[in-house]
């Protein structure tokens, strides 16, 4: 006989919890056709972050999480510690342009990588921010997409992607 138990493991201890009632998720009979194949997409209704249905579902999910893992709980502290260990600085390969070296940099704690430049390839040389997409929206979810310089290097063009789309 196999039994399922809802619980959390903390330092080799299992804390038993009552059965959890998850928020109902909106589904629709939506589908699309790709290469003559019909593909169901029941959760399309949740794709718009500004939609009331989506906002209600996200709020209910957050409320459930907070009820199961209060701010001062040991498991939440351990989760935060484990997740924060995955944060690490990332730097793209630099490329030369107009007498500077351009690259993307993310400290590991930012939503989006900043577009940076420096005069030299010396890693100890200070770099300057050319474009920081984290400042383009209040919640930092506007991402920098395709970029290009004009032929005369006078203009810099870029595409933006809002809220992860």
């Amino acid at each position: 006989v196999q039994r399922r138990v809802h619980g959390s493991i903390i330092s080799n201890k299992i804390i038993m919890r009552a059965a959890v009632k998850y928020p109902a998720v909106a589904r629709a009979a939506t589908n699309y056709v790709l290469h003559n194949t019909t593909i169901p997409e029941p959760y399309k209704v949740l794709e718009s972050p500004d939609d009331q249905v989506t906002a209600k579902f996200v709020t209910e999910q957050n409320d459930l999480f907070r009820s199961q893992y209060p701010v001062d709980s040991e498991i939440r502290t351990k989760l935060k510690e484990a997740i924060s260990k995955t944060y690490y600085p990332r730097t793209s390969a630099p490329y030369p342009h107009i007498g500077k070296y351009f690259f993307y940099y993310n400290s590991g704690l930012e939503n989006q990588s900043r577009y940076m430049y420096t005069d030299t390839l010396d890693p100890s040389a200070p770099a300057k921010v050319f474009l920081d997409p984290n400042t383009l929206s209040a919640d930092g979810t506007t991402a920098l997409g395709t970029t290009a310089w004009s032929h005369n290097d006078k203009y810099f063009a870029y595409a933006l992607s809002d809220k992860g789309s």
Side-chain angles (χ1 to χ4, degrees), residues 29-89:
T30 309
N31 55 55
Y32 62 95
V33 177
L34 180 65
H35 304 295
N36 295 324
T37 302
T38 300
I39 301 169
E41 191 173 18
Y43 301 108
K44 183 167 180 65
V45 67
L46 295 175
E47 286 184 6
S48 174
D50 299 322
D51 188 280
Q52 288 180 339
V53 172
T54 304
K56 180 178 182 280
F57 179 70
V58 169
T59 298
E60 290 173 351
Q61 288 278 37
N62 288 337
D63 291 346
L64 173 65
F65 180 83
R66 289 183 190 107
S67 73
Q68 296 296 305
Y69 304 103
V71 174
D72 59 347
S73 68
E74 183 181 359
I75 185 67
R76 190 157 172 176
T77 302
K78 288 189 178 292
L79 281 170
K80 187 174 182 178
E81 287 171 4
I83 291 170
S84 66
K85 287 179 184 175
T86 65
Y87 301 153
Y88 60 93

